[in-house]
Amino acid sequence: MNTSGPVDQGLRLSPFRGLRYVPERVGSLAAVTSPPYDVVVRPDGLHHLESADPHNIVRLILPQADTARDRHRQAAATLDRWLGEGVIAPDPDPVLYVYEQRNDEILQRGLIGALALSPASEGIVLPHEDVMDDVVADRAELMRTTGAHLEPLLLTYRGGTGEPAGAAAVIERTVLREPLLATTTEDGFRHRLWAVTDPAERSAIATDLARHQALIADGHHRWATYLRLQREQPAPGPWDHGLVLLVDTARHPLQVRAIHRLLRGLPVSRALKALTGLFRVRAVEGPLPRALDALAEAAAGGNAFLLAGDGGFHLVDRPDPALLARTIRTDRPDAWRTLDATVLHSALLDDVWRIPDAPEHIGYIHDTAAAVEQAERLDATAVLMHPVREEVVRDLARQGVTMPRKSTSFGPKPATGLVMRSLALD
């Protein structure tokens, strides 16, 4: 991504008074954290988090009640109660935060702050996926009602690869100090958080980031929500900024995984029958890792999908060129027209299977095994996807072309619950 540009037109990350759990008031910091709201897809996962600690952050990001309005009010009441009880407290001064997460294979470091909002047309923060209006509306009402940003988005930019300078140098110095918090979550990731308080270091970060643009790696719906809420405000104020984690992927490359589809109400037998003459369909042997290897091999030669849900695995590839010519838009770059997600949505979902892209018909699931398990339990079809290369995502974003929604899953994602932002404190 070309990250050069006028200094006053790049990323502007501001300090804020983070809301954080008071360790002495909870069982453990790990027990109150959660994955991002859209990764907690299974009821058993939600219940597991709720039972991990009575103050788990999932009670704020995914409150449970009969109506959407009641859910949002419940989240706001819970947040107010926890603040009143001292379970959560604001840091004394506005700061930027350095955040690190690592396991035996991955080290990721970045900056958490309040980022100045900008529309995609300005080319400062680039989306790469479409969003669903109903999800944006729900997240907007939750943010309005709680007056808070409860989890940071994951944004990436491309810094330098040489000797650390600017923001990278500040991060490298900061991680040598005593952290504000350190915890290890049940997925094996170790998390640490530091405050950057020195004005000179914050100035160095600001100067560096002003030369860069960012790609939204995770959190398109929340970014769209930030922009919607900003448009509602009559004057400049705290809604002009959004809570983000910025990661320099030149130093800390992210992993890119696929997001799978669960087609409710479509048994595998019916899905396969409809593909006759339109795709090549082959049964492949399990277990799941072996079947995914077959998918990766097929994907190297073109569009390929793995269908599951009937106890077996079915490799679907080599789409009929006439079907693609009839269903794929011609006013987009070839890189977009040949995406698996484009072919899936335009040719398969819209034309062959005729499945509306609505939550009651299609579920989006990050975990491969969970997608298969749910499909088998519901007599549905899981469409397992092969991940898109990061270079393709960035190239399309530079061109202003958005991919079909839920096309990618960048990670590791920041743990939700380590630091939040109250709009009332800014």
Side-chain angles (χ1 to χ4, degrees):
M1 177 180 291
N2 179 8
T3 57
S4 61
V7 169
D8 61 349
Q9 293 184 8
L11 300 168
R12 290 174 290 148
L13 193 67
S14 297
F16 70 103
R17 291 180 65 192
L19 296 181
R20 296 192 294 114
Y21 281 96
V22 178
E24 296 78 14
R25 299 302 305 275
V26 297
S28 75
L29 289 175
V32 296
T33 64
S34 163
Y37 79 97
D38 57 340
V39 180
V40 186
V41 294
R42 297 190 298 181
D44 57 338
L46 178 64
H47 298 153
H48 171 72
L49 291 167
E50 287 181 328
S51 61
D53 189 284
H55 301 108
N56 188 281
I57 191 68
V58 77
R59 297 179 186 275
L60 301 182
I61 62 172
L62 289 173
Q64 299 301 294
D66 291 337
T67 68
R69 187 177 186 183
D70 288 342
R71 289 196 299 271
H72 303 139
R73 287 180 170 179
Q74 179 175 300
T78 300
L79 178 58
D80 288 344
R81 185 174 70 254
W82 290 354
L83 284 166
E85 295 171 349
V87 173
I88 291 174
D91 282 332
D93 300 301
V95 300
L96 294 177
Y97 297 90
V98 170
Y99 174 54
E100 175 191 274
Q101 52 184 331
R102 67 190 306 165
N103 61 13
D104 294 338
E105 300 175 353
I106 298 170
L107 169 63
Q108 178 180 285
R109 290 171 178 159
L111 293 164
I112 294 178
L115 185 70
L117 304 182
S118 59
S121 60
E122 294 185 8
I124 298 173
V125 176
L126 302 177
H128 69 267
E129 289 184 357
D130 293 332
V131 297
M132 293 176 272
D133 289 339
D134 59 329
V135 177
V136 174
D138 179 76
R139 290 294 104 181
E141 187 57 31
L142 178 65
M143 290 185 197
R144 275 192 216 99
T145 308
T146 60
H149 294 160
L150 300 171
E151 45 188 339
L153 284 64
L154 175 60
L155 272 60
T156 73
Y157 68 101
R158 300 287 292 178
T161 57
E163 193 68 22
V170 173
I171 290 172
E172 294 302 310
R173 289 194 298 269
T174 301
V175 298
L176 301 177
R177 305 168 189 161
E178 190 71 20
L180 293 173
L181 65 84
T183 190
T184 300
T185 45
E186 64 179 9
D187 58 5
F189 271 94
R190 301 183 292 278
H191 307 261
R192 295 195 294 173
L193 191 75
W194 295 262
V196 179
T197 58
D198 181 81
E201 291 189 326
R202 296 214 296 240
S203 177
I205 290 172
T207 301
D208 186 10
L209 293 183
R211 301 183 296 109
H212 296 291
Q213 60 182 177
L215 175 75
I216 301 176
D218 185 69
H220 282 81
H221 288 91
R222 282 166 284 161
W223 182 259
T225 300
Y226 289 167
L227 294 175
R228 175 181 292 194
L229 294 174
Q230 181 191 35
R231 291 192 296 268
E232 295 177 0
Q233 306 308 309
W239 296 98
D240 293 324
H241 293 76
L243 181 63
V244 305
L245 165 64
L246 276 171
V247 174
D248 176 0
T249 53
R251 295 188 177 276
H252 301 288
L254 271 64
Q255 296 180 328
V256 186
R257 293 189 172 92
I259 301 177
H260 312 294
R261 274 61 170 167
L262 175 69
L263 309 183
R264 302 182 176 96
L266 180 68
V268 174
S269 59
R270 201 163 79 222
L272 294 175
K273 184 177 181 180
L275 298 179
T276 303
L278 299 176
F279 284 78
R280 182 175 69 167
V281 179
R282 293 173 290 158
V284 296
E285 294 185 2
L288 179 57
R290 184 174 180 178
L292 290 173
D293 287 342
L295 172 62
E297 183 178 348
N303 300 118
F305 312 93
L306 191 66
L307 272 55
D310 62 351
F313 299 101
H314 310 270
L315 185 62
V316 175
D317 64 354
R318 297 187 183 179
D320 176 27
L323 171 67
L324 300 185
R326 176 168 53 83
T327 59
I328 305 296
R329 292 175 56 170
T330 59
D331 60 345
R332 297 290 181 93
D334 284 345
W336 182 90
R337 300 181 74 246
T338 56
L339 287 170
D340 285 341
T342 298
V343 172
L344 173 63
H345 282 262
S346 298
L348 283 170
L349 297 178
D350 291 351
D351 190 85
V352 176
W353 291 328
R354 299 186 181 277
I355 298 177
D357 193 358
E360 60 269 25
H361 298 287
I362 303 177
Y364 293 86
I365 302 178
H366 293 73
D367 184 84
T368 309
V372 174
E373 183 274 328
Q374 288 198 47
E376 292 179 347
R377 178 166 50 85
L378 299 172
D379 190 24
T381 296
V383 181
L384 306 182
M385 311 280 286
H386 188 67
V388 182
R389 291 182 294 111
E390 183 177 357
E391 309 88 79
V392 173
V393 177
R394 290 185 179 278
D395 183 58
L396 288 172
R398 279 200 303 267
Q399 298 178 60
V401 177
T402 54
M403 300 163 64
R405 46 183 165 254
K406 300 295 184 181
S407 293
T408 60
S409 176
F410 283 83
K413 306 177 192 303
T416 298
L418 295 181
V419 61
M420 297 160 274
R421 176 178 179 239
S422 168
L423 282 298
L425 294 175
D426 283 13

